[in-house]
């Protein structure tokens, strides 16, 4: 049986743990916060039960999926994993520390993947003693639904690590797209300027959030408007990504809308906080 450790039990980490568990992997979901682990597990349970109710998975698979996922507060429990997927807070310092610890703890053949939206994979790799095993594995939100995984090759990532990661992505029923390491990769370099402009439209009083989203849904055939999508991603995550694009590419072009900064400072983070451009009850 293959084992994966997922570090970070938030929006992305619990989705990643769910998908690995559903595809037969033993999973340890690790977080520094007990509350995040409990909330992550509750989200997985809800989402597995929803799939079972819809008939998308059998009762047996639902039970097996939940049975395969354990939680822990200690990185030590990552031992024995074939791959670690880090999905902790989008903060370089936090990620560097986690990767340094993991590379000390695990044998050199373990793949160390980061789900970062924008932080350089080559920079993360510099904080390990095996940069050839470090790779980006960028799942999309919501993980159980979305097919794409951007597979990001850092400067020193080996071809073998890319091959193993691509195989694992396919094994999870998802589609890998290989890209080179650059700020925001492809997905966020294209997406975040659009979300930022949508926020400027609200800030400048050009339209309401719902109005901007309707334009993009009905006019551009987007399934979800940019502001509903920003709420889903997390406004703090959007802000962090824009800052990485600013630092790595162009400070003026990627300047976050002041309204975004204000909402994040006020704790309006989108779905996860119950309030963003829209209000969420559940
Ligand atoms: N939210 C999205 O739509 C999205 C999409 C793709 C990628 N990502 C990326 O995924 C990663 C996680 O994002 P998220 O939205 O799930 O964030 P989140 O805020 O929902 O969850 C982050 C979790 O990491 C935990 N954490 C912080 N420090 C830790 C540590 N040292 N060890 C273990 N756990 C730690 C926190 O307690 C929290 O539970 C980020 O790198 C983000 O850029 C996010």
């Amino acid at each position: 049986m293959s084992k994966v450790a997922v570090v970070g039990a938030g929006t992305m980490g619990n989705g990643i743990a769910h998908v690995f568990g559903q595809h037969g992997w033993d999973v340890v979901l690790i977080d520094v916060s007990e509350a995040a682990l409990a909330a992550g597990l509750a989200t997985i349970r809800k989402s597995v039960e929803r799939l079972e109710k819809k008939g998308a998975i059998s009762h047996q698979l639902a039970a097996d999926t939940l049975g395969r996922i354990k939680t822990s507060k200690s990185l030590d429990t990552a031992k024995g994993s074939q791959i670690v997927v880090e999905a902790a807070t989008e903060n370089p310092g936090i990620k560097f520390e986690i990767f340094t610890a993991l590379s000390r703890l695990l044998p050199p053949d373990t793949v160390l993947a980061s789900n970062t939206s924008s932080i350089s994979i080559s920079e993360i790799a510099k904080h390990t003693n095996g940069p050839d095993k470090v790779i980006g594995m960028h799942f999309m939100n919501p993980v159980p639904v979305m097919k794409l995984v951007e597979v990001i090759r850092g400067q020193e990532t080996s071809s073998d690590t890319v091959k193993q990661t691509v195989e694992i992505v396919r094994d999870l029923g998802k589609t890998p797209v290989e890209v080179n390491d650059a700020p925001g990769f492809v997905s966020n370099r294209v997406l975040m300027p659009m979300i930022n402009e949508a926020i400027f439209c609200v800030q400048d009083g050009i339209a309401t959030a719902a109005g901007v989203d309707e334009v993009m849904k009905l006019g551009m055939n987007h399934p979800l408007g940019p502001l509903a999508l920003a709420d889903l991603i997390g406004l703090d995550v959007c802000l962090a990504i824009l800052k990485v694009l600013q630092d790595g590419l162009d400070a003026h072009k990627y300047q976050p809308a002041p309204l975004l900064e204000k909402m994040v400072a006020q704790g309006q983070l989108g779905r996860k906080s119950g309030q963003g451009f829209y209000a969420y009850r559940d």
Side-chain angles (χ1 to χ4, degrees), residues 213-222:
D213 279 354
E214 280 299 281
V215 167
M216 297 308 285
K217 282 195 292 183
L218 301 180
M220 320 303 159
N221 218 14
H222 290 196

Side-chain angles (χ1 to χ4, degrees), residues 7-13 30-33 36 75 86-91 94-95 97-98 114-119 138-141 188 232-234 236-237 241 272:
V7 182
T11 311
M12 296 304 287
I30 302 169
D31 202 292
V32 286
S33 151
L75 272 188
E86 171 277 318
T89 310
E90 185 77 346
N91 172 311
I94 290 177
K95 296 203 190 278
E97 234 176 70
I98 292 172
S114 176
N115 185 55
T116 177
S117 305
S118 58
I119 297 168
H138 186 208
F139 289 84
M140 303 292 128
N141 185 8
N188 282 313
L232 180 71
I233 292 168
D236 52 338
V237 175
I241 298 170
K272 63 183 163 191

